[in-house]
Amino acid sequence: MAQFTREDLEQLVEERRARAALDLLLGGADLSGLDLSGLDLHGANLRQANLNTTDLHDANLSGADLVEADLRMSDLRKTDLYQADLTGANLTEANLTFAHLAQANFTAALLHHANLTFADARRADFTLADLSRSNLREAKLQFANLADADLTEANLYGAIMPNGSKHS
């Protein structure tokens, strides 16, 4: 895996913007532990990237390919993950407080002990996801797919469930 710095990423993002290009290919990249907060990485290919303990709060990852990415213990507070593909991604102990997760794909993702407090996960797909011991307090889950998801010991207090009811 290639090792990047925040400056490397900022330069790539700026070059992409200057070319009006949409391709940002970072599949398999090692971005672990970096401060990437606030960066516009929408549509980026981050498939199998190492983002372990990376600070991505307030970043734009809408439409990004994060299939099988390692996001353990990452800071994703207020991050835009609208329509992102996180199939098989590892988000164990990640902080997704106030994240925009609408229509994101979390099929078979690991979200064990993740914090999704106040997250907007409307129409997100959590099929086969491990949400055990996660905090979904006050999360918006309207029309989300939770088929075969593991919600063992998850905190759902105040969450708006897929059917529109409020969990108590």
Side-chain angles (χ1 to χ4, degrees):
M1 282 192 235
Q3 177 70 43
F4 286 90
T5 65
R6 179 182 175 96
E7 291 74 26
D8 293 335
L9 265 291
E10 287 175 336
Q11 183 177 352
L12 287 171
V13 168
E14 196 55 41
E15 288 172 5
R16 176 174 74 162
R17 188 174 296 132
R19 293 190 330 258
L22 297 176
D23 59 329
L24 187 55
L25 306 175
L26 296 166
D30 184 0
L31 306 172
S32 59
L34 293 181
D35 177 1
L36 304 179
S37 57
L39 285 183
D40 182 0
L41 302 170
H42 75 275
N45 178 343
L46 291 156
R47 183 177 287 251
Q48 298 180 335
N50 182 0
L51 295 153
N52 186 8
T53 67
T54 299
D55 183 352
L56 289 156
H57 83 271
D58 287 317
N60 181 359
L61 289 164
S62 60
D65 179 351
L66 290 151
V67 171
E68 297 178 355
D70 181 358
L71 290 148
R72 288 173 295 145
M73 296 181 284
S74 289
D75 183 354
L76 294 155
R77 290 172 296 131
K78 299 182 182 177
T79 298
D80 186 355
L81 286 157
Y82 174 74
Q83 292 186 338
D85 189 353
L86 293 111
T87 302
N90 188 346
L91 293 111
T92 300
E93 297 183 34
N95 186 352
L96 294 129
T97 305
F98 288 105
H100 185 211
L101 312 175
Q103 298 182 37
N105 185 355
F106 290 94
T107 300
L110 300 174
L111 292 130
H112 179 72
H113 266 290
N115 187 354
L116 289 92
T117 305
F118 296 105
D120 180 356
R122 289 176 284 185
R123 298 189 189 280
D125 188 353
F126 292 100
T127 302
L128 297 169
D130 179 359
L131 289 154
S132 61
R133 297 188 176 185
S134 61
N135 187 355
L136 292 139
R137 184 182 179 100
E138 302 290 335
K140 295 175 184 167
L141 299 167
Q142 295 101 313
F143 305 107
N145 186 351
L146 296 170
D148 298 314
D150 183 357
L151 291 162
T152 305
E153 296 183 43
N155 178 2
L156 292 161
Y157 182 81
I160 301 175
M161 301 307 288
N163 65 4
S165 67
K166 192 163 188 168
H167 196 278
S168 54

